[in-house]
Amino acid sequence: MDKGFRLVLCTCPDPDTAGRIAETLVQEALAACVNLIPGLTSIYRWEGRVQRDAEALLLIKTRVEHLPALSARIVALHPYALPEIVAVPLGEGSEGYLAWLAANLAPAP
């Protein structure tokens, strides 16, 4: 059952950039929680070439209603021309944790 929560994945070029984005999203209540995972290696195609880069991954917990504002904020703060912003439904979770998420997000726009 979809309760409207989303897990947003976003890669960043380094932990410092990731930390600044994460703190901003939480401070602005667009995200209730962001996990920062350093030490990621991404292999991808960009402008016709296969690239390999060290990155940090953000796991951002939010509600579907905040996705447009959250995505716009990431784009504004992110140094990449095309930042990764991928949202997947959080179909299940403990009721207590989901209640905490809801309580720590801005009211729905």
Side-chain angles (χ1 to χ4, degrees):
M1 172 188 248
D2 187 352
K3 297 183 180 182
F5 294 102
R6 296 294 182 266
L7 176 65
V8 179
L9 293 83
C10 177
T11 51
C12 297
D14 56 72
D16 289 339
T17 300
R20 284 192 299 278
I21 292 171
E23 287 180 20
T24 300
L25 295 176
V26 172
Q27 287 173 353
E28 295 177 3
L30 294 172
C33 174
V34 180
N35 304 110
L36 191 163
I37 304 171
L40 183 74
T41 300
S42 294
I43 301 168
Y44 58 97
R45 184 175 301 279
W46 180 251
E47 296 180 343
R49 295 179 41 223
V50 174
Q51 306 285 331
R52 176 187 288 259
D53 288 308
E55 293 186 302
L57 177 65
L58 296 177
L59 301 177
I60 305 163
K61 278 71 105 197
T62 192
R63 288 197 77 104
V64 67
E65 296 88 359
H66 293 300
L67 286 177
L70 183 138
S71 294
R73 199 66 175 115
I74 291 171
V75 168
L77 295 168
H78 210 291
Y80 290 169
L82 182 62
E84 174 186 24
I85 304 170
V86 177
V88 295
L90 272 176
E92 297 294 328
S94 72
E95 289 302 318
Y97 184 75
L98 296 181
W100 177 85
L101 281 180
N104 285 281
L105 290 164

